[in-house]
Amino acid sequence: MTQLAGGSGVTGPAPRAPEPGGPGGRGTSRGGRRRRSARSREESRAGLLLISPTAVIVTVVVVLPILWTVSLAFQSVRLLNIRTTGVFGQYTLENFTDVLTSPGFLQALLTTVLYSVFGTALAISIGLCAALALRRPFRGRGAVRAAMLLPYVAPVVAATFVWSTMLNPQFGFVNHIGTTYLGWDDPIAFLSARSTPMSLLGWEIEVPTALVTVILFEAWRSFPFAFLFLTARLQAVPETLDEAARVDGATPSQRFGYILWPQLVPTIAVLSVLRFIWTFNNFDDIYLLTGGGAGTEVVSVRVFDYLTARGDIGAAAAQALVLAAILAVLVGVYLRRFGRTGDQP
Amino acid sequence: MSRDTLENRLLAVLRPVVIGVLLIAAVFPFYYMVVLSFRPLNALLQDPGKLWVSVGEVDVGTYTDVLTSVAGGGQGFMTFIRNSLVVALATVVLSLLVAIPGAYAVSRLQFFGRRQISGLFLAVYFFPSILLAVPLFVFFTRIGLRGSLVGLLVVYVAQVAAVSIYMLRNYFDTIPASLEEAAAIDGCTRLQAMRKVALPLAMPAIVSNGLFIFMIAWNEFLFALLFLVERRDRWTVSLGLSQLSGSIEVPTTVLMAGSVILTLPIIVLFFASERLLVGGLTAGAEKG
């Protein structure tokens, strides 16, 4: 849910205070050099004083724990012997070798990547369709827009519970429709079947049912985020451009391809990074929908299992670090490849 | 028929269809939630395709069941609601208390390490929460703070305050500094200028930020699960619903009533403040 904060920089050139000079520079016009330095000293003190409560709490609750994770990842720690483990324990690479060579890890990593890539792509595509469809005003557009944001703001536990009820093989609505009207032979166990055979144009293919379902859930839940930012970006496109193209006889698809699309690309690029990061780290959705079963185990769910069910803290820490490192590398490569688009995310 | 008319006709058909499909997809699960919460379980099992509640069928027993305390034979959601409210409201108050001065400082004042600190706060925002979950789980187990709402509160404040500073900073940046300078010339100290000039002007952003924090804390699941799972009397609504939905003893319709109770405050808050929230989220977009 933290995602909602999206940062206003995403959708356009957000106003940003000029860095050099800044407020400190203003003293120059009024006083001499001595006065400015006294003032800037006072300002620096005030600034540090005002920021310190947050800085302290973030350091204690976020930064130090993460450093400690690094330390834990290199030790052989279990929940049972945690009381005897200090900072200066026996350091070893065992956790990493165990984790990287354990059979499930690479599979979980692959699942995480598939889940993030398809979830992100679907969410942004649907968000784009919604933003384009709702571009022209009509009666009740405001209400429709607000309603489309519901999946995004609703509590994840309630959303997953309703979905799993809807998809329930015994009394779920979807399977009822499927077996009654669509001619399905059997109800589909959307959340617990690893794969379902499906015939498409005579081809028998195995569809990874549960994985597809959680990807669809992710798309459903986060398309409003893309919709919100693409709508804001579309509103900033000057009307005159579109009109000029219309006068020149450009068809709707040409106007989209040559006028709107180029304007939307930077926003879509930033959205892709943001959504990818959040989906890659996502724990709640998959844990609540499938518990990580039926071929949907992503790395974060695996970390959780190691942490709570197995009590193997060292391995959990190592996997969480590998997850963070891979994410950092992927995002780094993306940013390097496609350059910095727009402002800071 | 020219390509232009063809495309226009196609779009005229396609647009309402797309809007309709997406609207149904977005809203239907919530409608389904409400309908199921009023239907008796055996009626649901007999006719799972029915999407309305007939008058004679309406059953509010699900709500009384879910709200009644465990001692009274219910699911004890009243306690969960109290816990969620306490944690969410305390998170809002504490986060704003530390984030407002912080955001003001980052926006207005030059101080040593300003850029590094805001960079750090932004990084917190993108961190995998599962990475943070490992050490905090271990630490809280070790000092015996697991099962306490205070521990949860501290974690929420740390995560949310950093994000709040980032959001509020952007808003403070849009308020002209000259207003505070004028106040300073009139003899205000820096603190007075902040309290009497900048703070009232930033009120819309502060309110929407507060609502946003409330929603995060109310919806949060992972840390509540890690810290509180063993103490049923400390469960939040999210945690309670997820834990009870795993057992087969509680009927689905009763849990649907629980889902409605979990979702309703968020939806009410969202619609009451939608303009404010969406405006705050995309502030700057239109000004580009």
Side-chain angles (χ1 to χ4, degrees):
Chain A
M1 200 31 220
T2 325
Q3 293 94 311
L4 209 76
S8 52
V10 177
T11 46
R16 188 144 307 251
E19 289 291 342
R26 277 193 296 278
T28 8
S29 54
R30 276 204 304 272
R33 200 182 155 72
R34 263 183 64 188
R35 184 150 166 226
R36 192 193 66 177
S37 73
R39 194 180 153 81
S40 76
R41 256 208 312 274
E42 187 267 335
E43 189 174 294
S44 184
R45 257 205 312 277
L48 284 172
L49 194 71
L50 291 178
I51 198 82
S52 55
T54 319
V56 167
I57 192 170
V58 168
T59 310
V60 172
V61 185
V62 180
V63 178
L64 292 179
I66 285 173
L67 294 178
W68 194 37
T69 316
V70 179
S71 148
L72 287 174
F74 289 97
Q75 299 179 58
S76 171
V77 196
R78 308 191 71 87
L79 209 51
L80 296 173
N81 63 12
I82 185 65
R83 285 185 185 281
T84 56
T85 311
V87 182
F88 304 102
Q90 296 213 314
Y91 286 88
T92 160
L93 278 173
E94 210 177 292
N95 289 322
F96 287 95
T97 48
D98 281 0
V99 160
L100 290 173
T101 53
S102 73
F105 182 75
L106 287 180
Q107 183 57 46
L109 198 60
L110 179 69
T111 310
T112 311
V113 171
L114 287 176
Y115 173 65
S116 323
V117 168
F118 286 106
T120 303
L122 261 180
I124 294 179
S125 319
I126 299 174
L128 180 63
C129 287
L132 289 172
L134 289 173
R135 192 169 171 229
R136 257 189 296 161
F138 58 87
R139 267 174 69 112
R141 184 175 69 159
V144 173
R145 270 188 183 161
M148 285 216 187
L149 298 178
L150 281 182
Y152 192 62
V153 293
V156 62
V157 178
T160 48
F161 181 62
V162 171
W163 267 63
S164 38
T165 309
M166 280 199 308
L167 300 175
N168 186 299
Q170 277 97 46
F171 54 84
F173 182 71
V174 175
N175 273 310
H176 175 78
I177 295 292
T179 46
T180 318
Y181 301 105
L182 303 178
W184 297 354
D185 298 333
D186 293 302
I188 298 176
F190 285 99
L191 295 169
S192 52
R194 190 173 282 272
S195 68
T196 315
M198 256 201 186
S199 60
L200 193 75
L201 307 169
W203 287 75
E204 284 283 318
I205 43 170
E206 290 283 319
V207 180
T209 323
L211 186 59
V212 169
T213 310
V214 294
I215 288 172
L216 286 177
F217 179 81
E218 160 64 24
W220 174 79
R221 206 168 138 66
S222 45
F223 90 85
F225 181 80
F227 162 67
L228 196 63
F229 284 96
L230 290 169
T231 297
R233 186 68 194 87
L234 276 177
Q235 279 169 350
V237 175
E239 197 66 34
T240 45
L241 278 179
D242 213 23
E243 238 155 66
R246 201 195 305 259
V247 170
D248 287 345
T251 67
S253 67
Q254 286 169 331
R255 272 180 282 144
F256 174 74
Y258 292 107
I259 294 177
L260 289 183
W261 179 249
Q263 303 243 1
L264 291 176
V265 165
T267 308
I268 291 178
V270 176
L271 273 174
S272 315
V273 179
L274 291 177
R275 287 281 9 131
F276 184 84
I277 293 175
W278 283 317
T279 317
F280 201 81
N281 292 335
N282 194 341
F283 164 81
D284 297 356
D285 302 29
I286 289 188
Y287 178 79
L288 287 164
L289 280 173
T290 67
T296 59
E297 192 187 50
V298 290
V299 177
S300 56
V301 171
R302 199 174 152 88
V303 171
F304 181 85
D305 277 344
Y306 271 81
L307 184 63
T308 56
R310 304 196 193 185
D312 191 346
I313 295 165
Q319 290 184 73
L321 277 183
V322 172
L323 178 78
I326 290 173
L327 180 65
V329 168
L330 288 179
V331 172
V333 167
Y334 180 93
L335 290 179
R336 183 154 291 218
R337 175 108 166 63
F338 296 99
R340 282 173 57 86
T341 38
D343 211 335
Q344 287 172 307
Chain B
M1 194 159 54
S2 77
R3 179 175 161 189
D4 193 46
T5 21
L6 181 75
E7 279 189 12
N8 275 315
R9 281 203 193 149
L10 200 66
L11 279 181
V13 179
L14 218 56
R15 219 165 62 101
V17 170
V18 168
I19 294 175
V21 167
L22 287 177
L23 194 62
I24 290 172
V27 176
F28 177 76
F30 300 99
Y31 174 76
Y32 186 71
M33 185 195 287
V34 175
V35 168
L36 252 57
S37 75
F38 286 110
R39 292 189 70 191
L41 185 66
N42 51 359
L44 167 70
L45 295 178
Q46 272 163 20
D47 186 4
K50 194 173 158 195
L51 284 181
W52 61 91
V53 206
S54 13
V55 184
E57 207 187 48
V58 174
D59 179 14
V60 289
T62 49
Y63 285 88
T64 48
D65 184 6
V66 86
L67 288 173
T68 312
S69 65
V70 182
Q75 308 305 331
F77 263 55
M78 239 10 176
T79 322
F80 305 162
I81 294 172
R82 204 203 60 215
N83 292 338
S84 277
L85 269 182
V86 167
V87 175
L89 289 176
T91 308
V92 171
V93 172
L94 286 178
S95 307
L96 285 180
L97 224 54
V98 299
I100 293 172
Y104 181 83
V106 173
S107 165
R108 283 285 190 274
L109 308 174
Q110 283 293 345
F111 57 88
F112 180 73
R114 183 176 89 144
R115 296 191 54 177
Q116 288 77 0
I117 287 181
S118 28
L120 171 72
F121 289 169
L122 195 65
V124 169
Y125 183 34
F126 290 110
F127 244 86
S129 41
I130 194 75
L131 176 56
L132 197 57
V134 176
L136 289 178
F137 178 78
V138 175
F139 183 68
F140 280 50
T141 307
R142 202 160 162 181
I143 64 169
L145 211 57
R146 252 172 74 203
S148 111
L149 293 178
V150 176
L152 195 63
L153 180 63
V154 172
V155 176
Y156 285 2
V157 171
Q159 294 208 315
V160 163
V163 183
S164 290
I165 284 194
Y166 192 74
M167 287 174 78
L168 289 174
R169 193 271 298 263
N170 282 342
Y171 196 84
F172 275 122
D173 281 351
T174 63
I175 302 175
S178 53
L179 292 174
E180 283 151 67
E181 279 163 14
I185 290 170
D186 288 346
C188 276
T189 63
R190 188 185 300 285
L191 233 86
Q192 280 173 324
M194 174 181 138
R195 216 184 58 223
K196 293 186 178 159
V197 179
L199 214 56
L201 284 171
M203 240 345 145
I206 292 173
V207 171
S208 72
N209 196 240
L211 288 169
F212 168 69
I213 296 173
F214 182 89
M215 287 162 127
I216 293 184
W218 180 272
N219 289 353
E220 205 281 337
F221 173 66
L222 171 60
F223 287 101
L225 173 67
L226 277 173
F227 294 167
L228 304 176
V229 73
E230 286 137 15
R231 296 279 305 267
R232 184 169 176 154
D233 57 321
R234 297 286 161 77
W235 284 357
T236 59
V237 186
S238 278
L239 181 58
L241 181 62
S242 75
Q243 291 301 305
L244 295 177
S245 67
S247 79
I248 42 166
E249 290 145 37
V250 191
T252 305
T253 49
V254 171
L255 291 174
M256 276 301 168
S259 302
V260 172
I261 290 169
L262 171 62
T263 315
L264 202 61
I266 294 299
I267 295 204
V268 168
L269 269 185
F270 173 70
F271 276 105
S273 61
E274 184 239 335
R275 238 155 253 255
L276 207 59
L277 271 179
V278 172
L281 287 178
T282 57
E286 289 99 74
K287 290 174 203 114

